[in-house]
Amino acid sequence: MKLDSVKAAFGICDSGNDMSRRFRDTTQPFCNLVDAVAMAAPDVPHQIYKGMLTKQVKAVKTFSFGTSLIGIGMQPILYEHISAPESSLPLMVALYSAVGIFTFVTPFLIHFVTKKYVTDIMFDPATEQYQASAYKFFPIKRKITFKLEDITVPDVPGAFTTLCVKNIPLLCSPSDFLYPKHYIKFMGYDKPVDYQLSTPKEQNKDNTKS
């Protein structure tokens, strides 16, 4: 009985293709509305990119600085043990080296890996300006304001580099764009392809010069 009422509500009959056609015709406006809402962008400044690893990057940097502070606090204790005559010098040197690595080397290494990671990007339709955020050496965000003409895509991307903004290498994940059309613009996929093929006249000029 419930199935019959559902069929009646959607105007579905049991005649094969006719049932599919009527169901599609009935639900198509709703599907179009869902697609329009999903793809429509507001006319006010809004977020177009949200880095999936933002929380993890901040947590790692915060933990690294926490261990560095602990290591700095341990320096007087280690120095006292090294100064003791009965202490084993090789053991203390190894311990001091390990603490020094976690205290000073690890934060710089983590910063080298994460400094290019984009945490979020805002877009202002009125000015057509973007504002990307990335973490500084300390877990504090820096803002980079730019326009499309400030973006360059290197022919051979470096390590952890997707594109460059004002000669600043940045790392973005295509799947983290809330509005994929901006990623298409960033990468220049909306522009005609230039195969950089020379014409016969240009080839003759090159041969003449050589």
Side-chain angles (χ1 to χ4, degrees):
M1 186 66 182
K2 292 183 178 180
L3 181 60
D4 295 336
S5 61
V6 172
K7 290 181 178 180
F10 284 95
I12 300 175
C13 63
D14 295 327
S15 58
N17 294 334
D18 189 37
M19 180 182 67
S20 301
R21 180 180 59 79
R22 291 194 179 188
F23 182 80
R24 183 177 64 252
D25 294 341
T26 304
T27 58
Q28 188 62 40
F30 176 76
C31 295
N32 293 339
L33 178 61
V34 172
D35 292 339
V37 172
M39 297 302 296
D43 296 331
V44 296
H46 57 280
Q47 187 177 21
I48 64 167
Y49 179 89
K50 183 178 181 180
M52 186 182 300
L53 301 177
T54 300
K55 292 183 179 180
Q56 289 83 344
V57 170
K58 184 177 181 179
V60 169
K61 291 181 74 70
T62 303
F63 177 77
S64 174
F65 278 103
T67 56
S68 297
L69 293 176
I70 295 174
I72 293 174
M74 292 177 60
Q75 299 300 316
I77 301 175
L78 293 176
Y79 182 77
E80 181 180 353
H81 282 280
I82 289 178
S83 302
E86 67 276 5
S87 62
S88 174
L89 183 60
L91 178 61
M92 295 308 300
V93 169
L95 181 60
Y96 215 104
S97 300
V99 173
I101 290 175
F102 281 101
T103 302
F104 302 106
V105 178
T106 304
F108 287 97
L109 180 61
I110 293 177
H111 176 64
F112 174 77
V113 175
T114 61
K115 66 180 180 179
K116 302 177 184 179
Y117 185 76
V118 178
T119 59
D120 61 85
I121 301 177
M122 301 294 295
F123 175 64
D124 187 356
T127 59
E128 295 186 350
Q129 283 189 339
Y130 297 87
Q131 188 179 72
S133 299
Y135 281 113
K136 299 180 180 180
F137 180 76
F138 296 98
I140 302 173
K141 290 184 179 181
R142 59 169 177 165
K143 306 292 184 179
I144 305 172
T145 304
F146 62 96
K147 290 189 175 183
L148 285 177
E149 52 266 26
D150 298 324
I151 300 176
T152 56
V153 180
D155 296 332
V156 182
F160 307 106
T161 301
T162 304
L163 48 86
C164 295
V165 174
K166 297 180 178 179
N167 296 325
I168 302 174
L170 297 176
L171 174 63
C172 302
S173 175
S175 59
D176 291 344
F177 276 85
L178 305 178
Y179 299 92
K181 66 178 183 179
H182 292 282
Y183 175 75
I184 295 174
K185 293 181 179 180
F186 284 3
M187 303 303 293
Y189 295 152
D190 58 332
K191 299 178 181 178
V193 179
D194 184 9
Y195 294 101
Q196 297 181 351
L197 299 177
S198 58
T199 61
K201 292 183 179 180
E202 292 176 347
Q203 291 180 356
N204 293 333
K205 289 182 179 179
D206 294 338
N207 294 332
T208 303
K209 291 180 180 179
S210 60

